[in-house]
Amino acid sequence: MKINKQLLQINRNFIICFIASASLSAVAAQLLADYENYQNTTITIIIGYVIYFGLFSSLFYMDNKKRYKTMESKLIKKELLKLVSSFGVGEIIYLGIRWPSLYYFLEIGIEPYLASIISEVIATTCYMTSVTVFLRKTKTF
């Protein structure tokens, strides 16, 4: 199996964004400890999303701006459609794991910051795996 530079860059960006998002989400979860668990879960995940996608968008743009300048617009649209669909599938999986797991961990009494980190690790691992597999299967990179 040959190494795919684009997939490595995307996974590197996932990891960078994961670290930032997980850290700040853990802080948010702890600060929201007095809220109901469902509110804590929802607000924590929203904060994580804002951080994650803000940072990921910037990193993806910096990594690919030269590449996209030299590509035909037809190919760019095709590739971006595959990326969006791959990330969409990953997001469904992520949210399907993240919200219930964080809520469950809060319900059983785990400290909010720890519950957030554990939940984020599980959900992000599944997200990264699904997006990478989907990008490979669709031959995006």
Side-chain angles (χ1 to χ4, degrees):
M1 185 163 85
K2 67 180 187 175
I3 295 176
N4 186 314
K5 182 182 174 193
Q6 292 299 118
L7 280 175
L8 284 176
Q9 280 182 332
I10 285 177
N11 282 314
R12 181 205 68 203
N13 291 347
F14 284 158
I15 292 168
I16 291 168
C17 295
F18 158 74
I19 292 168
S21 175
S23 301
L24 294 172
S25 290
V27 170
Q30 193 63 43
L31 291 173
L32 298 168
D34 293 334
Y35 285 67
E36 293 292 326
N37 289 337
Y38 73 91
Q39 292 172 319
N40 186 326
T41 300
T42 303
I43 295 168
T44 298
I45 290 173
I46 290 170
I47 290 169
Y49 262 108
V50 169
I51 294 161
Y52 187 90
F53 282 112
L55 186 55
F56 185 83
S57 299
S58 300
L59 292 172
F60 186 82
Y61 175 76
M62 288 188 302
D63 286 343
N64 292 291
K65 68 181 176 183
K66 287 181 183 175
R67 184 170 162 264
Y68 285 139
K69 284 182 181 179
T70 61
M71 283 177 77
E72 291 181 34
S73 64
K74 185 188 210 181
L75 293 174
I76 293 171
K77 288 178 187 176
K78 191 175 182 178
E79 184 173 296
L80 289 178
L81 181 62
K82 289 179 180 180
L83 283 168
V84 168
S85 62
S86 298
F87 293 151
V89 168
E91 288 306 317
I92 291 167
I93 292 168
Y94 174 85
L95 271 178
I97 294 169
R98 175 82 159 122
W99 201 98
S101 63
L102 178 53
Y103 181 77
Y104 173 75
F105 293 145
L106 291 172
E107 282 291 305
I108 64 171
I110 295 176
E111 283 294 318
Y113 74 91
L114 189 56
S116 180
I117 290 171
I118 294 168
S119 171
E120 184 78 34
V121 167
I122 295 167
T124 300
T125 301
C126 294
Y127 173 79
M128 285 178 61
T129 303
S130 66
V131 170
T132 301
V133 167
F134 203 87
L135 289 173
R136 280 193 168 280
K137 292 291 182 192
T138 60
K139 297 179 179 162
T140 305
F141 297 121

